[in-house]
Amino acid sequence: HAFSKALMFNSIAQHGDNTSFDNLKGLGTANVLTGKTFALGALSLIGFPLLFGFWAKIEAISAILRTGKIWLLFLVAAVFIIEAYYYLRFLSLYFAKDERRICPIPSLALVSFIIIVIIISQGLYPVFSFNLVNKAVIALFNRGLYLAIPTGGF
């Protein structure tokens, strides 16, 4: 989720300081590059297949199913639906017709490109990230291992 949100914030940051909700109307068509990067971040957060957010949603659902608390599954599904509604509503506002044309800021466009590569690659091959997170969680809860890592295995 962090990469997807970073992509969305980076896309909006390219439009300057005037980022109130009303001023964002039509910016996706005013600057097609940032519009598409914002949409990719939003779709990843919604859980669109082949993006990293999809696998995060699958992992959350499978963890809930392993606990056997079905009521929690319905609660999380409701949250996913509400989240999708608001992101899609914002995307429709963001891509409304507008006559403005805005050029992307090259440094922010480069950052967006790097984040896009991460989101898509992790969406296609999520095993690397999940293994990394599992190792971090195990190290965090194992005090001896947690203290040994920064000291070089001391």
Side-chain angles (χ1 to χ4, degrees), residues 32-85:
V32 177
L33 176 66
T34 59
K36 288 180 180 180
T37 58
F38 183 89
L40 186 71
L43 290 174
S44 179
L45 285 174
I46 290 171
F48 196 78
L50 299 180
L51 299 175
F52 192 55
F54 172 76
W55 296 110
K57 302 268 189 223
I58 294 295
E59 282 295 313
I61 290 170
S62 64
I64 291 169
L65 289 174
R66 283 192 300 269
T67 64
K69 297 180 180 177
I70 300 302
W71 64 270
L72 190 57
L73 180 64
F74 289 111
L75 178 67
V76 169
V79 170
F80 288 167
I81 291 168
I82 293 168
E83 177 185 42
Y85 170 76

Side-chain angles (χ1 to χ4, degrees), residues 70-100:
I70 300 302
W71 64 270
L72 190 57
L73 180 64
F74 289 111
L75 178 67
V76 169
V79 170
F80 288 167
I81 291 168
I82 293 168
E83 177 185 42
Y85 170 76
Y86 279 104
Y87 280 125
L88 291 174
R89 183 171 167 246
F90 188 82
L91 282 175
S92 68
L93 172 84
Y94 197 66
F95 284 101
K97 291 283 185 191
D98 196 342
E99 300 301 322
R100 295 179 283 181

